[in-house]
Amino acid sequence: MTIGGPRGWHPRLQMPCLRKMERMIVSMQDPDMGIKMRNQRLLITVIPHAMTGNDIVEWLIQKYGISEEEALHLGNLIVKHGYIYPLRDPRSLVLRADESPYRFQTPYFWTSTKWPATELDYAIYLAKKNIRKQGDLIEHEKDNYNLLHKRINHTWDFVVMQAREQLRAAKQRRRGDRIVIDCQEQAYWLVNRPPPGVPNVLEQGPERRNCHTTRVQLTKNMDYYKREIEYCRKAMARTRVKSSICLEGYIKFNEQYVPHDPIMSGCLPSNPWITDDTTYWAMNAPTVTTPTKLRVERWGFNFSELIMDPLGRAQLLEFLKKEFSGGLQGYTPSHEALDVAHEGVQCHDPLSSIVSPSPAENLSFWEACEELRYGEQSRIAEIVDSIYQQFLAPGATRWVNIDSKTMERTLEGIKTPHRYVMDDAQMHIYMLMKKDSYPRFLKSDLYKNLLAEAIIPPETKKRVFPFMRKQRHSSPSPALLLPAGDAEERSRSPSTAPVPEEES
Amino acid sequence: MATEGLHENETLASLKSEAESLKGKLEEERAKLHDVEQENADPPMKFLMSVDTVESGLDNKCSVYPLTFEKNENMAAKKKSVAMHTNYLSACSFTNSDMQILTASGDGTCALWDVESGQLLQSFHGHGADVLCLDLAPSETGNTFVSGGCDKKAMVWDMRSGQCIQSFETHDSDINSVRYYPSGDAFASGSDDATCRLYDLRADREVAIYSKESIIFGASSVDFSLSGRLLFAGYNDYTINVWDVLKGSRVSILFGHENRVSTLRVSPDGTAFCSGSWDHTLRDGFCRFFGRHGSEAADQSSTIGNAIMAAAAGIGMAGLAFLLVR
């Protein structure tokens, strides 16, 4: 994790949230619509242009129409980033929704303005504190002070001189102003040099755009523009669909699937994450004897749902086998199947080339092609050959019927086998199953029986005493469970052993 | 006399201006069929709420850990380094099987690797800056994926040819997370500009924005509920906002994390979602405190198995990978 980022990194650019916060702050100070400021009493001093924590929260609620919890959360973040600071208890950047007084940070001390926070400035700040408190600094500040003293020893005289000068100038100010400036400065340093245990809000995670030399360069030469032009031409030629039709599509999809969405519609018998009862998972395991009703219904949504569910696929296979063994006499291909089969049919007996010798083999062929597409690189030639021998070779035992054009292309491609060589054939067979076998499956007795016998699990009886919920607790970190021989891991995380907590 | 097919007019400048003007025309075409306006809608609806891994790293490598349920198995010892980029790896995902990995990197490219041999199968060039996220399409043909990057672009790629099929550039800042809508016809993106957007692939444009004036911190991670009705988004302001995808309004806001939410995933069966955060914890969508890491939980992915509902891999500062299973 980097603090600050590489050269050229500026928070206003890379943290759009800061700019937005600044805009919020400005509108908070709007004379008409902003927060009503007044004088706040701090012990014996009166500080002008201040507001209470409550004012801030109320204003956020009004302005953005959010709840009190959210307003408090948002206000807290604004304070954490140093845009508003507390007058009472200035060492802790926390927003309290009560009468505690707060003030807006001067833009001079905004993180995005006074960037970066240099070591020199920090040294001067600590030196001032050291002088004022006569050496009695807080622990981490003392450590930092000593560290800096060592690191920039060569300019230490300058540091002390500056510190003394600033303190002298401060003495000439009114007490109220002095307190304010001290608070402002302290808030700035709390954000830029957070004390241990307080998360650093300026941390941005791994550096982005950090190194141009390791970037794969896209040189904008002639080839680049030629590719751009090609891409634009292709893109302009594509058919687009009206947005309204797309949205209608979402609505339809939503209507179909919402009853199946456990978060939206609940799940029967109960959601295991809430009740700790895992029956739901047992009933919906990949292979069960009797599937649930919702699951069987889902197979009717589209072909993909059926074929992607291992249970569904098994049922489809059974159906296809039954059809075949039930006799070809009973098998009349649908119009779609006829169209598909007619593509590129040669002039021999039309009937023999239309009737698929075995629809069940289509599914096996499709599965074999999937294995090729997602399989290991080293086995490609082997798998291609196996597919050819089983499904495509003349006289193959599990011959699948592909139109001759596709067959020609595929056989040609097999000579130089690669991962996608079966794509055309696979698509052809997939479409055949989708347009022919699938609709018949849905109308079949097999499917109707599955629907009838499918289970609708009863809802788990509600506990009699619902408030006696099981105690929730967190699991310990897996780091604790590592075998003893792992010296590497141990050495890196010696003191971060987490403790399991109780949480209700 | 070699003219090499170079027409007089085909200078770099003329090609550039041709490309620019075509881009302009393309945007006009895309705008033509947009016949809906998004309205920010009514009061939120009520509903019931019931929430083999890969890691990518700052060492520019992608490592694969074999998963096992045996307690004493030292998984770290069996790790295998698969992908190698020239800059940090931001995202990775298995394709339909365990034998291929798709990675996205800070070097501006995505790549497809064979796990067994570590061989690079295909690379995808086109982003002008770091690529931060990717997601595979759930389509029947299973051939495309979408990636999002620091160039504010989301690009859809053909895995087979390595070509960019579509690209969308409407965000104002880095895109941290992309996720396909369950039907595969659209995808959502979460960005540092504090908005999430829905892009439809058939309409070839952005069709919805999910934003609120009070949300000013970037969205780091997005995922859909099973039906695609809800969009869960984790933000850098430590909250999770739940959006109604169809209405465009926010349904709920979830508190509980004490630092930015870096990752979020809905379980494959849709019963719960899990969020990981820089506060070193993972919480499930019922605000149940799941576990504490020794360091930050940076990435997680859901596996296919039924017994493992949310497998989370945390990448600690020390470079360790953890696996939490229920």
Side-chain angles (χ1 to χ4, degrees):
Chain A
M1 305 282 163
T2 57
I3 300 170
R7 247 175 303 137
W9 187 92
H10 190 276
R12 250 208 208 106
L13 294 171
Q14 260 75 335
M15 286 177 75
C17 55
L18 287 187
R19 254 180 291 139
K20 293 186 181 149
M21 249 188 292
E22 283 157 20
R23 256 180 267 145
M24 238 184 221
I25 289 291
V26 166
S27 60
M28 273 189 198
Q29 295 178 72
D30 181 85
D32 299 314
M33 303 300 291
I35 302 181
K36 294 287 168 276
M37 315 242 245
R38 37 202 140 118
N39 295 346
Q40 286 288 334
R41 190 162 226 101
L42 196 67
L43 292 176
I44 49 168
T45 333
V46 172
I47 315 280
H49 302 304
M51 58 214 159
T52 66
N54 225 3
D55 291 338
I56 300 172
V57 173
E58 282 304 317
W59 186 88
L60 286 171
I61 293 176
Q62 288 305 313
K63 168 92 172 159
Y64 297 112
I66 52 184
S67 67
E68 179 167 351
E69 190 181 13
E70 193 177 348
L72 187 59
H73 183 89
L74 180 57
N76 230 321
L77 282 168
I78 296 177
V79 172
K80 276 210 181 73
H81 281 80
Y83 288 100
I84 290 178
Y85 59 88
L87 288 168
R88 205 178 296 150
D89 193 16
R91 241 185 261 146
S92 136
L93 290 178
V94 164
L95 179 66
R96 277 176 252 273
D98 52 21
E99 297 303 303
S100 314
Y102 291 85
R103 272 184 119 248
F104 291 107
Q105 178 66 287
T106 169
Y108 174 78
F109 272 127
W110 284 355
T111 304
S112 48
T113 317
K114 198 161 159 46
W115 176 268
T118 61
E119 281 195 330
L120 192 62
D121 287 335
Y122 191 42
I124 295 172
Y125 167 70
L126 286 177
K128 274 198 294 186
K129 248 193 171 174
N130 198 32
I131 294 172
R132 257 201 348 239
K133 299 211 167 163
Q134 291 157 344
D136 185 25
L137 291 174
I138 322 168
E139 174 133 4
H140 84 271
E141 281 182 341
K142 205 179 269 177
D143 291 338
N144 286 341
Y145 182 81
N146 292 332
L147 259 165
L148 282 170
H149 187 70
K150 249 190 248 155
R151 215 171 18 228
I152 55 173
N153 206 343
H154 48 283
T155 52
W156 202 252
D157 291 338
F158 175 72
V159 168
V160 175
M161 186 186 75
Q162 275 292 303
R164 288 218 176 97
E165 192 50 48
Q166 289 183 15
L167 282 173
R168 201 174 313 153
K171 279 212 178 81
Q172 300 180 341
R173 292 198 194 98
R174 276 201 326 245
R175 186 188 165 80
D177 290 343
R178 258 214 314 278
I179 294 179
V180 159
I181 292 176
D182 281 346
C183 285
Q184 287 174 343
E185 207 182 16
Q186 177 156 72
Y188 175 79
W189 288 110
L190 278 172
V191 173
N192 286 277
R193 295 282 188 274
V198 174
N200 182 355
V201 291
L202 298 180
E203 243 182 63
Q204 285 303 296
E207 288 174 30
R208 297 180 183 178
R209 291 173 279 261
N210 61 346
C211 196
H212 292 277
T213 54
T214 56
R215 163 102 16 84
V216 175
Q217 292 297 2
L218 285 177
T219 33
K220 299 203 173 170
N221 54 11
M222 310 251 284
D223 277 330
Y224 171 81
Y225 286 116
K226 281 197 189 136
R227 277 199 310 264
E228 289 273 297
I229 291 169
E230 180 62 37
Y231 167 79
C232 285
R233 289 224 174 95
K234 266 206 200 123
M236 290 225 278
R238 79 184 299 135
T239 23
R240 287 182 185 79
V241 178
K242 271 199 211 165
S243 301
S244 53
I245 301 199
C246 296
L247 297 184
E248 271 167 30
Y250 300 146
I251 294 177
K252 247 203 335 222
F253 184 86
N254 174 71
E255 267 163 21
Q256 220 179 21
Y257 278 89
V258 156
H260 298 253
D261 186 341
I263 292 180
M264 297 288 300
S265 315
C267 57
L268 300 171
S270 63
N271 190 319
W273 297 100
I274 300 181
T275 59
D276 285 334
D277 170 22
T278 56
T279 317
Y280 178 77
W281 288 332
M283 295 184 108
N284 285 290
T287 40
V288 282
T289 25
T290 336
T292 61
K293 189 108 192 246
L294 280 176
R295 188 172 178 179
V296 180
E297 274 172 10
R298 230 169 125 168
W299 296 341
F301 288 175
N302 55 63
F303 185 50
S304 173
E305 288 282 354
L306 177 66
I307 206 170
M308 289 306 175
D309 183 342
L311 200 60
R313 202 189 290 189
Q315 293 297 331
L316 177 65
L317 188 62
E318 227 190 275
F319 167 73
L320 293 174
K321 285 191 181 142
K322 270 203 185 120
E323 266 199 332
F324 180 54
S325 66
L328 292 175
Q329 305 92 338
Y331 174 70
T332 35
S334 62
H335 285 296
E336 292 80 33
L338 282 171
D339 288 341
V340 169
H342 265 141
E343 284 164 27
V345 129
Q346 303 293 332
C347 285
H348 39 99
D349 180 14
L351 202 61
S352 68
S353 45
I354 290 172
V355 173
S356 175
S358 172
E361 304 307 353
N362 289 347
L363 189 52
S364 308
F365 174 72
W366 182 83
E367 282 179 331
C369 292
E370 285 285 277
E371 201 196 326
L372 170 67
R373 267 224 295 184
Y374 299 109
E376 289 163 31
Q377 187 68 13
S378 53
R379 289 190 57 220
I380 286 185
E382 175 197 331
I383 300 178
V384 168
D385 189 56
S386 147
I387 293 178
Y388 174 72
Q389 297 299 338
Q390 280 186 69
F391 299 99
L392 300 175
T397 46
R398 312 173 77 184
W399 193 76
V400 287
N401 185 23
I402 308 175
D403 68 282
S404 56
K405 247 195 248 151
T406 312
M407 179 66 92
E408 225 178 276
R409 262 205 307 270
T410 309
L411 292 177
E412 188 61 40
I414 288 179
K415 296 186 186 153
T416 43
H418 60 91
R419 187 176 294 273
Y420 304 109
V421 75
M422 293 292 172
D423 272 10
D424 288 342
Q426 185 183 7
M427 182 56 68
H428 180 96
I429 292 295
Y430 184 84
M431 284 305 169
L432 197 62
M433 288 196 289
K434 179 174 173 174
K435 299 216 165 92
D436 185 42
S437 313
Y438 179 57
R440 287 204 318 278
F441 171 80
L442 291 182
K443 292 195 207 117
S444 70
D445 289 332
L446 178 78
Y447 183 64
K448 293 205 178 101
N449 282 339
L450 281 168
L451 269 177
E453 285 162 22
I455 320 174
I456 303 179
E459 192 175 352
T460 311
K461 260 212 180 128
K462 294 245 159 74
R463 279 221 169 90
V464 181
F465 297 112
F467 48 81
M468 276 163 61
R469 256 193 230 130
K470 197 171 169 189
Q471 267 293 0
R472 300 263 153 82
H473 59 272
S474 69
S475 351
S477 167
L480 295 176
L481 305 171
L482 280 172
D486 248 312
E488 191 193 277
E489 276 98 62
R490 277 300 165 80
S491 67
R492 277 179 175 166
S493 58
S495 56
T496 52
V499 176
E501 283 175 26
E502 285 291 322
E503 184 154 299
S504 54
Chain B
M1 181 76 130
T3 47
E4 286 166 11
L6 258 187
H7 208 268
E8 253 180 50
N9 297 334
E10 238 179 47
T11 59
L12 184 64
S14 70
L15 278 178
K16 181 173 177 181
S17 61
E18 189 182 345
E20 307 281 298
S21 85
L22 274 178
K23 270 197 223 155
K25 287 204 194 113
L26 177 60
E27 288 311 311
E28 277 170 28
E29 279 297 315
R30 286 166 115 182
K32 274 187 192 159
L33 290 175
H34 187 57
D35 55 348
V36 283
E37 275 307 317
Q38 181 185 348
E39 276 173 24
N40 267 329
D42 355 321
M45 22 174 269
K46 287 209 169 77
F47 61 98
L48 302 166
M49 245 190 146
S50 52
V51 204
D52 227 28
T53 178
V54 212
E55 78 159 1
S56 46
L58 297 175
D59 57 356
N60 299 359
K61 289 198 226 131
C62 182
S63 309
V64 177
Y65 291 77
L67 293 184
T68 167
F69 280 107
E70 284 157 63
K71 278 206 174 136
N72 294 326
E73 194 73 48
N74 185 1
M75 287 194 255
K78 292 214 178 134
K79 102 168 172 193
K80 184 194 167 89
S81 212
V82 173
M84 193 66 171
H85 278 272
T86 55
N87 207 328
Y88 67 89
L89 244 87
S90 53
C92 55
S93 171
F94 282 112
T95 61
N96 266 13
S97 72
D98 286 353
M99 295 179 254
Q100 292 176 303
I101 293 180
L102 196 55
T103 58
S105 166
D107 67 9
T109 67
C110 300
L112 183 67
W113 310 82
D114 177 61
V115 174
E116 196 55 48
S117 60
Q119 187 187 348
L120 171 68
L121 300 175
Q122 181 67 263
S123 74
F124 306 88
H125 296 227
H127 275 287
D130 310 18
V131 188
L132 296 176
C133 51
L134 58 82
D135 189 33
L136 281 147
S139 76
E140 300 177 293
T141 46
N143 256 340
T144 60
F145 72 95
V146 62
S147 65
C150 287
D151 55 356
K152 313 176 197 171
K153 280 203 269 189
M155 301 177 82
V156 181
W157 305 88
D158 174 17
M159 282 210 283
R160 190 177 153 170
S161 63
Q163 294 302 314
C164 167
I165 307 176
Q166 280 170 286
S167 108
F168 304 87
E169 195 172 350
T170 59
H171 270 292
D172 298 320
S173 189
D174 305 356
I175 298 180
N176 295 315
S177 174
V178 284
R179 189 76 65 214
Y180 269 95
Y181 185 75
S183 72
D185 292 326
F187 66 91
S189 60
S191 157
D192 271 346
D193 66 5
T195 67
C196 297
R197 294 174 202 238
L198 188 68
Y199 296 94
D200 189 292
L201 297 173
R202 295 159 305 168
D204 194 24
R205 56 172 299 118
E206 171 193 301
V207 288
I209 305 185
Y210 307 100
S211 67
K212 211 170 182 319
E213 259 192 301
S214 59
I215 301 176
I216 55 178
F217 284 80
S220 62
S221 189
V222 296
D223 202 0
F224 285 99
S225 70
L226 190 141
S227 64
R229 182 61 195 259
L230 298 176
L231 179 69
F232 297 97
Y235 288 76
N236 293 339
D237 65 0
Y238 325 165
T239 65
I240 297 168
N241 288 284
V242 186
W243 301 93
D244 181 326
V245 171
L246 300 181
K247 288 195 189 154
S249 57
R250 183 180 69 183
V251 173
S252 178
I253 178 169
L254 303 173
F255 301 96
H257 276 296
E258 289 148 25
N259 206 328
R260 60 167 73 180
V261 179
S262 51
T263 177
L264 185 152
R265 273 287 209 142
V266 176
S267 65
D269 68 356
T271 48
F273 74 90
C274 186
S275 58
S277 153
W278 285 15
D279 67 1
H280 312 195
T281 69
L282 289 149
R283 290 169 196 265
D284 72 3
F286 305 101
C287 293
R288 197 163 72 175
F289 194 45
F290 222 169
R292 208 165 246 290
H293 277 275
S295 192
E296 282 106 42
D299 181 53
Q300 85 195 36
S301 37
S302 301
T303 68
I304 310 170
N306 212 8
I308 305 177
M309 297 318 295
I315 304 176
M317 283 284 260
L320 298 169
F322 298 116
L323 182 68
L324 260 189
V325 305
R326 210 226 179 224

